[in-house]
Amino acid sequence: MKLTKIKYAELSSKQKEVFNFQKVASALADYGFNCIKLADDWQGADFLAYHKDGEQTLKVQLKARVTIDRKYLGKDLYMTFPHKGVWYLIHHDELVRIAGETTSWLRSASWKEHGGYSSAGPSQEMLEGLSAFALGIAERG
């Protein structure tokens, strides 16, 4: 059997979501987490990550880019997203705090009027604030 690497850009949006789930689940395995993909958003989560110690279970929302949304505030939800080859995992409310300190996102019309903001290109200052939440490499085909 000959295996051929896929091209991420050629995947459908659903295929990209599955691909990204597999990548971040692999990164989280290095930290002792087992991930279970949910069929539908349960309490805002795309998947659950439970730790081998049996004491931690994270509700995780998977995004293709850094995203904040008012609907996730106060829900004890973690956000995970790749940026330039690195996966990040951060509590949503902490991400909002960092966004408020390092960007103008919370003053934007998108946040004020629609309750959300996302970016494929976060500022260097924001990335510095996110550095403690980096998981590892996000290889794409």
Side-chain angles (χ1 to χ4, degrees), residues 72-110:
Y72 300 140
L73 286 171
K75 293 199 173 179
D76 196 26
L77 192 65
Y78 285 77
M79 305 300 285
T80 189
F81 53 89
H83 179 70
K84 291 191 175 180
V86 177
W87 278 99
Y88 294 85
L89 177 71
I90 182 171
H91 194 275
H92 175 266
D93 296 1
E94 176 73 0
L95 180 57
V96 172
R97 184 191 66 73
I98 290 171
E101 292 176 356
T102 61
T103 71
S104 60
W105 294 8
L106 302 184
R107 297 184 301 278
S108 71
S110 178

Side-chain angles (χ1 to χ4, degrees), residues 12-133:
S12 70
S13 60
K14 188 63 177 170
Q15 289 169 330
K16 286 178 181 179
E17 182 179 341
V18 171
F19 179 94
N20 287 336
F21 168 72
Q22 298 296 337
K23 289 295 185 175
V24 77
S26 173
L28 284 169
D30 290 338
Y31 296 89
F33 284 93
N34 184 12
C35 298
I36 302 169
K37 182 86 171 83
L38 300 171
D40 57 356
D41 283 5
W42 177 73
Q43 297 184 5
D46 289 318
F47 69 92
L48 299 177
Y50 66 91
H51 197 266
K52 69 176 189 66
D53 65 14
E55 296 179 22
Q56 264 186 313
T57 299
L58 309 179
K59 297 182 298 185
V60 185
Q61 176 63 225
L62 176 65
K63 295 295 185 186
R65 53 198 268 161
V66 60
T67 302
I68 57 174
D69 199 303
R70 256 194 223 116
K71 69 183 176 185
Y72 300 140
L73 286 171
K75 293 199 173 179
D76 196 26
L77 192 65
Y78 285 77
M79 305 300 285
T80 189
F81 53 89
H83 179 70
K84 291 191 175 180
V86 177
W87 278 99
Y88 294 85
L89 177 71
I90 182 171
H91 194 275
H92 175 266
D93 296 1
E94 176 73 0
L95 180 57
V96 172
R97 184 191 66 73
I98 290 171
E101 292 176 356
T102 61
T103 71
S104 60
W105 294 8
L106 302 184
R107 297 184 301 278
S108 71
S110 178
W111 179 259
K112 287 180 177 181
E113 296 169 19
H114 305 289
Y117 197 98
S118 70
S119 175
S123 69
Q124 186 59 40
E125 188 178 8
M126 182 178 211
L127 288 171
E128 288 170 11
L130 293 174
S131 64
F133 305 97

